Structures are given as C-alpha cells and as structure tokens.
Amino acid sequence: MNGSRGFSLLELLVVLLIVGLLSGLSVAWLNAGRSAALQALDGLAAQVQLHAAQARHSGQLLGLRWNGRQPEFVRLEQQRWVADPWRPVAWPTELRADWPAGTVPPVIFTPDGVVAPRLKWQWPDGQQHWHWLSDGRLARAEVP
C-alpha cells in the first residue's frame, strides 16, 4: 500500500494564502475607523504646507478656519476673508476642531511665516495637536 500521509506542498500554500488574505482583511477592517480621520488630517496638513508656501512666495495673506463642519482655506480680499474653493474629498463627520467656527481664521499664513495658536483635532478614538515650529514647519503630535 503506497498511500501518502500528510498534505502536499500545494495544499499547504493554498491554506497559507487563505489565512494571509483573511488576516489582511481583518486588520484593514479593524483599523478603518481611525484611518479615515488620520487620512483626512494628513491631506489637510499637506494643503496647509502648500498654503503657507503660497503666502510666503506671493505676499498674500491666507488663512485656515473652521466653518462648523469642516476646515476651509480663506484669503484676505479688500479687508474681508473669502473662502477658497478647496474642499476635502471626504471629511469625516466625527473629526472636529477644538476651536470655534467663525469668519476670522485662527491660523494666518503671511509672507513672514505662520501666525497660529496650537490647534487640536478630536475624533472618538483619539486626537491630534498641531503647532508651528520657529522655522515654519507644521509639527503634529497624535494623542490617544
């Protein structure tokens, strides 16, 4: 009797592939809620850096304010802050700024640098603090 005991290499590879796919999907599913907020903040941070550079090179006064639902970039035109057309692709509703909504932006980008307080973003699972360093770079610290 020439019966084989055990599994073939192909059977083992198929089982490992299935286990790998299931574990990858479960990790992505468990991390999905938090990553939406962090992705939105990463996209906003990139836009903040662009607006700071634009203000530095163009001589314009630009700003960042909270409109109650999402952040928006503004520019000073004839003594009035006017919203720019930038809109985040999908701003998570649970991600909120810890600074009041208003017409005057708390963050102002000038040709000389950034005038800003410390900003705090909050979502159910965590928060992130933003502040600007003396050389104009944005520093972010995630707090659980």
Side-chain angles (χ1 to χ4, degrees):
M1 174 155 76
N2 193 7
S4 65
R5 292 184 61 188
F7 298 103
S8 70
L9 181 59
L10 182 61
E11 291 170 331
L12 287 175
L13 288 176
V14 168
V15 168
L16 288 175
L17 176 69
I18 291 171
V19 168
L21 285 174
L22 290 177
S23 65
L25 290 174
S26 65
V27 167
W29 177 75
L30 289 173
N31 199 20
R34 189 168 182 178
S35 67
L38 292 176
Q39 286 177 357
L41 286 175
D42 286 344
L44 180 62
Q47 288 295 321
V48 162
Q49 296 292 354
L50 288 174
H51 276 73
Q54 180 182 356
R56 200 169 36 253
H57 296 297
S58 70
Q60 291 181 312
L61 290 179
L62 304 173
L64 173 67
R65 69 182 178 194
W66 179 254
N67 68 10
R69 293 181 318 255
Q70 64 187 19
E72 63 183 5
F73 290 100
V74 293
R75 65 186 181 296
L76 189 62
E77 285 185 0
Q78 299 175 357
Q79 305 299 324
R80 207 175 114 226
W81 291 101
V82 179
D84 279 342
W86 177 83
R87 295 279 185 249
V89 175
W91 190 260
T93 56
E94 71 275 358
L95 179 58
R96 310 214 30 95
D98 193 30
W99 29 292
T103 57
V104 178
V107 180
I108 299 174
F109 308 107
T110 71
D112 298 324
V114 179
V115 179
R118 285 184 178 263
L119 302 178
K120 187 164 92 174
W121 300 93
Q122 298 179 339
W123 61 94
D125 295 335
Q127 56 186 322
Q128 193 174 89
H129 296 271
W130 285 13
H131 66 277
W132 278 263
L133 303 174
S134 60
D135 61 358
R137 289 183 298 128
L138 175 63
R140 296 178 286 166
E142 188 177 334
V143 182

